[in-house]
Amino acid sequence: MSADSAVSQEADPVPAAPGAAPPAPAKDGRTARRSLAHRLLGRPEIGALIGAVAVYLFFFAVAPTFRQLDSLSTVLYQSSTIGIMALAVALLMIGGEFDLSAGVGVITSALTASMVAFQLSMNVWVGVLVALVVSLAVGAFNGFLLVKTGLPSFLVTLGTFLMLQGANLAVTKWITGNVATDSIRDMDGFDQANAVFSSEISLGGTSIRITVLWWIVFGVLATWILLRTKYGNWIFAVGGNQESARAVGVPVTFTKITLFMIVGFTAWFVGMHQLFAFNTVQSGEGVGNELLYIAAAVIGGCVLTGGYGSAFGPMVGAFMFGMVTQGIVYANWNPDWFKFFLGAMLLVAVLLNLWVRKQATRR
C-alpha cells in the first residue's frame, strides 16, 4: 500500500450509523434564547411594579379606609396629576436630559390663562390657547438654549426655573395687585373648559376625575411613540450616545427641542386642570414638584444618564406616590413624615431597580 492511499484512508470520514441523529450544533451564548424570567427582569418598569404591589399590600393591611373604591379613586387622582407630568419628564430623561422648571411651568401656564381671560374680559378658551403657546415657547427656549450652547440641562433649566418663579410672583402682583389670580368661575367658556380638564365621571358608582383617563391616554400614546415610531428610536439614540446618533443621521437638535416642548405641553395641561379645578391660582405654588416628577420617572426605571426607560414605569412610579400620599392619611399617621416616606420609597425603588437589572444580565 502506498503512502498516498494510506493518507486517503485516514482522511475518509467514518459513515454515520443508519438512523442516527446529526450531531447537535455547538451552543453560542450570544444567540441562546433568554428565559421568560430574564426577559421580564429586563423590562425597565419591573422593579417599580414589584414595589407598587408591596406598597399597595402594605397600606391595604394597615389602613382599612384604603380598601374602599372611593379611596382608590382619590389615589388615582393624586397619581394622575403627577403622572401626566412624569410621562413627559420620563421621555426627556430617556433622551438624556431633565427639566427643573417643570413644576413652576405648570403654574406659569395656569396664571397666564387666568390673567389673559380675566383681565381682558375674554372667553376662557382664549386664555387657554395663549397659555399653550407660552408653555410650548418655554419648552422650545430650554431646548434651543441647550443644543446651541452645549450647557448641561441642569444649568439651563435651573435658570428657567428661577426666572419663571420670579415672574410668576412679580407679574401676578403687578397685574392683579395680589399673589393670586381672580376667580374665573363665572366667565364665558368656563363650563366647557372645566369639562375637558377637570370634570368627574361616574364608573361603577364611584366618581373619577377625568385627569385619570387623560393620564391613561397619554401613557398609551407615550408607549406607542417609544416602541412603534421612528421618533421613539431617536429618543433612545440621543439619550444613549448623542454623537453616535448624529453620525447615523438622527436629528439630535429637533429631538431635544421637541422633548422639552412635550414637557411644556404637559405642564400646560396640568396647569389647566389646576386652574379649572380651583378657579384661581396661587402664584407661589409649583416649587418642588419638579422633583416629584423626576422621582416618579426614576422609580419607574428611567436612569439619569439617559437611553433607558419606558412610559409605563413612570406611571407605576406616580401611582406609588399617590398611594403613599393618601395611604399616610388613611392610616392616620402624622403627615409630617410624608416627605420622609417619599425619600425612603425613592431610595428603595432605585436599589430594587438596580438589583433587577443585575439579575437580568445574569445567564
Side-chain angles (χ1 to χ4, degrees):
M1 179 183 298
S2 66
D4 290 341
S5 60
V7 171
S8 176
Q9 289 180 1
E10 291 178 1
D12 288 340
V14 178
K27 291 184 178 180
D28 187 348
R30 296 171 299 176
T31 59
R33 185 176 180 83
R34 301 174 69 194
S35 66
L36 177 61
H38 277 85
R39 293 201 301 273
L40 288 176
L41 290 175
R43 295 296 307 164
E45 64 275 3
I46 192 65
L49 195 59
I50 296 172
V53 172
V55 171
Y56 179 83
L57 292 177
F58 175 76
F59 283 112
F60 188 90
V62 302
T65 309
F66 189 81
R67 307 166 193 171
Q68 301 174 6
L69 286 179
D70 289 342
S71 300
L72 178 60
S73 174
T74 304
V75 168
L76 289 173
Y77 170 60
Q78 292 286 344
S79 304
S80 66
T81 55
I82 297 175
I84 291 174
M85 284 299 302
L87 282 169
V89 170
L91 294 182
L92 182 63
M93 289 178 63
I94 294 172
E97 312 294 344
F98 58 97
D99 190 346
L100 292 179
S101 67
V104 292
V106 171
I107 304 303
T108 299
S109 67
L111 292 170
T112 300
S114 179
M115 288 188 289
V116 166
F118 187 88
Q119 304 302 326
L120 300 180
S121 299
M122 305 184 74
N123 189 296
V124 296
W125 281 104
V126 176
V128 168
L129 294 178
V130 172
L132 175 59
V133 173
V134 170
S135 295
L136 293 177
V138 171
F141 172 79
N142 283 335
F144 181 81
L145 194 61
L146 175 83
V147 297
K148 292 303 179 183
T149 64
L151 291 172
S153 56
F154 172 84
L155 294 178
V156 172
T157 58
L158 177 61
T160 308
F161 161 78
L162 295 173
M163 291 167 60
L164 291 179
Q165 184 184 8
N168 287 349
L169 180 60
V171 173
T172 304
K173 293 179 68 175
W174 173 49
I175 293 179
T176 69
N178 203 340
V179 295
T181 60
D182 299 283
S183 175
I184 62 171
R185 181 66 182 84
D186 298 325
M187 299 191 66
D188 292 339
F190 180 90
D191 291 336
Q192 294 83 353
N194 181 71
V196 174
F197 297 106
S198 189
S199 61
E200 295 183 0
I201 60 176
S202 180
L203 290 177
T206 302
S207 295
I208 296 179
R209 282 293 185 99
I210 198 170
T211 51
V212 176
L213 300 183
W214 281 118
W215 178 37
I216 295 173
V217 170
F218 289 150
V220 172
L221 180 60
T223 301
W224 175 75
I225 289 174
L226 281 177
L227 301 181
R228 292 291 183 265
T229 68
K230 183 184 296 185
Y231 184 72
N233 292 333
W234 293 347
I235 294 174
F236 282 106
V238 299
N241 191 311
Q242 178 174 304
E243 296 307 318
S244 297
R246 182 178 282 111
V248 297
V250 173
V252 175
T253 298
F254 171 81
T255 304
K256 296 274 189 180
I257 293 177
T258 51
L259 283 173
F260 278 101
M261 292 179 70
I262 291 173
V263 175
F265 172 81
T266 54
W268 163 79
F269 191 93
V270 175
M272 294 307 96
H273 164 70
Q274 292 194 10
L275 173 61
F276 293 106
F278 303 105
N279 309 328
T280 183
V281 185
Q282 295 287 334
S283 58
E285 293 180 351
V287 178
N289 286 347
E290 63 281 346
L291 299 181
L292 297 182
Y293 309 147
I294 294 173
V298 172
I299 290 174
C302 297
V303 295
L304 296 178
T305 53
Y308 186 82
S310 68
F312 181 66
M315 295 183 69
V316 178
F319 184 55
M320 291 176 68
F321 273 102
M323 287 192 292
V324 172
T325 302
Q326 295 304 123
I328 291 175
V329 175
Y330 296 145
N332 295 319
W333 294 346
N334 187 342
D336 294 339
W337 288 94
F338 171 67
K339 290 294 180 65
F340 174 85
F341 281 107
L342 290 183
M345 184 178 67
L346 173 62
L347 290 176
V348 171
V350 171
L351 292 175
L352 180 60
N353 287 335
L354 179 62
W355 178 82
V356 167
R357 284 198 293 270
K358 286 183 176 180
Q359 294 299 117
T361 57
R362 291 184 178 179
R363 290 291 180 182

